Amino acid sequence: MNTEKGHHEPVMVEEVLEGLNIRENGVYVDATYGGGGHTRAILSKLGNGGRVIAFDQDESVREHVLQDQRLVFVPESFIYLKQFLRYYHAVPVDGILADLGVSSFQLDTPERGFSLRYDAPLDMRMDRRREQTAADLLQEVSEAELHCILEMYGEVRNARTVARVIVQARGRKPIQTTGELVQLLEPLVRGNRHQYLARVFQALRIAVNDELHALESFLQQAAEVLRPGGRLVVISFHSLEDRIVKQFMKGELTRQAQASVLTERQTMFRLITRKPLQPTPAEVERNPRSSSARLRVAEKLPLPS
């Protein structure tokens, strides 16, 4: 993603371009457009016959989309990947990129409620057409559900205690801002304060946006729309996402997930990266938010005859 209009610079651009193995007149998908930095880099490698189909559900992105006749922008989540690629007669595609990180624009816009640095409304919706905010979730879910969210999505060590304290507090007064939540959590912090609070915020954000289920759906659709020899490139920023991506590329998803893609799931991809690629020290120094990025690449194999 680029730095225009407050969006952060794209992560691991050269690694992305190498991973996609771009053909001059190919069709590529940027499943998470953000500030457009990755899309811009892909377009720079394409000829007049190439195309990029870019997706982003965040309404703030739409007014800053690049003007290029080779670019089609879809203002929706990547869970609609297959539907819109068919609509634009773009199946099969030659490569798909997904940068799963929250953009700096989202983090640095206080009213979005993604960052614990600001006292702002507890929103956390990536698509503000969704009805439930993080504040709504904290008010509505049961203590058992909240415990599960914190433990599964944030790996919060004392998740049961946190869930109980939140439920007790909301009975007295709804928790409506990030500042109120942080103040409530302060006595419960275990270990590094920032990391602990970030895990709680991550868990709520994942739950509000149903991120892990969306990722699984996206990966399954990506396998269907890629041409044999096409590349799938995914950048993850936390272990839960990276684990799903790794298992998918290696053919280790559940039988139910396998059945929805292909009976012989193990033959779907060839790993290009045996281990995830990480940003160089120079990139991390230039862009500290890239430090947790992990990039994986896989190539779709021909279907069994």
Side-chain angles (χ1 to χ4, degrees), residues 29-47:
V29 172
D30 184 347
T32 46
Y33 181 86
H38 284 125
T39 288
R40 188 190 302 274
I42 295 169
L43 287 168
S44 74
K45 299 293 183 181
L46 295 179

Side-chain angles (χ1 to χ4, degrees), residues 1-13 16 30-42 55-58 60-61 64 66 78 97-107 126 235 237 283 286-287 289-290:
M1 302 177 192
N2 65 17
T3 55
E4 295 176 7
K5 303 295 184 181
H7 289 80
H8 68 263
E9 65 176 283
V11 174
M12 303 178 74
V13 176
V16 165
D30 184 347
T32 46
Y33 181 86
H38 284 125
T39 288
R40 188 190 302 274
I42 295 169
F55 291 74
D56 206 297
Q57 62 187 330
D58 192 326
S60 68
V61 165
H64 308 306
L66 294 168
F78 57 36
L97 164 69
D99 173 359
L100 303 175
V102 180
S103 75
S104 286
F105 178 79
Q106 291 169 327
L107 288 170
M126 290 184 175
I235 304 173
F237 286 82
E283 178 168 2
R286 185 177 70 252
N287 179 15
R289 285 177 174 165
S290 71

